[in-house]
Amino acid sequence: MTNKSTISKYPMPFTRIELAILSVVDGRLVVLLGKRAQEPHAGKWALPGGVLRIDLDADLEAAAQRVSNERLGVTLPYLRQLAAVGSAGRDSRAPWALSVAYRALIPIDAIDPKAGKRLNEIRWVSADEASEDTQLAFDHSALIRSAIEATRSDIDRLELPYGFLPERFTLGELQSCCEAILGQRLDKSSFRRRIDERQLLKSIPGEMRTGAFRPAQLYQPNNS
């Protein structure tokens, strides 16, 4: 049973969910932003987000999915908690505010987001540029920077972005995808050696990708 005296003695912070949704467009990492329809920061671009509702949300991930459905009309695959940030004066609507941020790296054609509740417009923008944009609402440029760093660390650890590739792919296609996410070129020999050492892929006997250049062997994840 809830102890009402405890609630009054220790008031809860104003709590929001923020969504850093990343993808790859034209060979570069992008992030989805929404233009806020209401104060605070009305008219500014920000990560899609919303208030935690204890009457609607069974847990934090349920809150993130509800916010995504309300703001963007989509359910998010590959959702991972990024960070929790909070301080006094962080949000003008409350004396103390907390944000729990989630990140997702999603193929651009896996979702079809639309501007929903409290957003006038949405758009994909360069993630690196957004991470340095001081005009974004709240501290969202810093959250985007954290999402980029965490996602690129995944790729550095060879947590490979198979969702961005066809069911069967060449090593060149995999490397190009990783380079787009990392924002830098990779040494071909080193990249392939690390994949081979970890036994992450298996070749598909007799299957090759043909085109303008010499045929290339097709692969799939070793756990498929």
Side-chain angles (χ1 to χ4, degrees):
M1 186 172 67
T2 302
N3 187 323
K4 292 184 179 180
S5 65
T6 300
I7 293 175
S8 61
K9 186 176 180 181
Y10 301 108
M12 299 300 291
F14 179 73
T15 305
R16 284 179 50 86
I17 301 292
E18 317 292 359
L19 303 174
I21 305 169
L22 303 173
S23 191
V24 174
V25 175
D26 296 330
R28 65 174 183 166
L29 192 65
V30 295
V31 63
L32 187 63
L33 298 181
K35 182 179 283 189
R36 292 177 56 82
Q38 297 179 354
E39 295 292 350
H41 302 292
K44 284 194 171 186
W45 291 94
L47 293 173
V51 177
L52 178 72
R53 293 278 304 272
I54 62 173
D55 58 328
L56 297 177
D57 304 323
D59 53 36
L60 287 171
E61 185 160 339
Q65 294 292 4
R66 176 186 58 79
V67 168
S68 179
N69 275 283
E70 288 181 356
R71 300 296 186 267
L72 305 171
V74 297
T75 298
L76 295 174
Y78 316 120
L79 195 62
R80 304 172 73 171
Q81 193 174 127
L82 173 65
V85 292
S87 65
R90 186 169 184 273
D91 191 304
S92 61
R93 290 167 288 187
W96 213 102
L98 168 72
S99 281
V100 181
Y102 280 80
R103 66 183 173 103
L105 178 64
I106 301 174
I108 196 70
D109 56 358
I111 58 172
D112 184 22
K114 301 285 193 303
K117 189 176 180 181
R118 298 192 177 91
L119 292 180
N120 287 331
E121 186 182 347
I122 60 172
R123 67 182 183 185
W124 294 98
V125 303
S126 163
D128 288 308
E129 291 177 9
S131 73
E132 302 297 331
D133 187 353
T134 59
Q135 297 304 307
L136 296 186
F138 305 107
D139 57 354
H140 287 189
S141 60
L143 289 178
I144 293 168
R145 196 154 52 247
S146 294
I148 293 170
E149 291 170 357
T151 300
R152 287 175 172 164
S153 291
D154 290 344
I155 302 302
D156 282 336
R157 292 192 303 270
L158 294 182
E159 295 182 24
L160 299 174
Y162 297 125
F164 284 80
L165 297 162
E167 182 179 341
R168 300 173 179 187
F169 50 84
T170 68
L171 291 177
E173 290 168 341
L174 175 60
Q175 181 171 336
S176 293
C177 183
C178 290
E179 288 175 340
I181 295 168
L182 290 169
Q184 64 182 33
R185 299 294 298 272
L186 294 171
D187 178 77
K188 179 178 176 180
S189 298
S190 175
F191 179 70
R192 296 187 178 193
R193 184 179 64 254
R194 292 179 65 211
I195 287 175
D196 186 57
E197 289 172 349
R198 295 273 296 276
Q199 298 182 341
L200 297 174
L201 306 177
K202 60 184 177 183
S203 62
I204 305 171
E207 294 207 21
M208 311 286 284
R209 176 91 75 228
T210 58
F213 303 99
R214 66 182 182 181
Q217 175 67 53
L218 291 177
Y219 292 82
Q220 60 188 170
N222 205 16
N223 58 359
S224 63

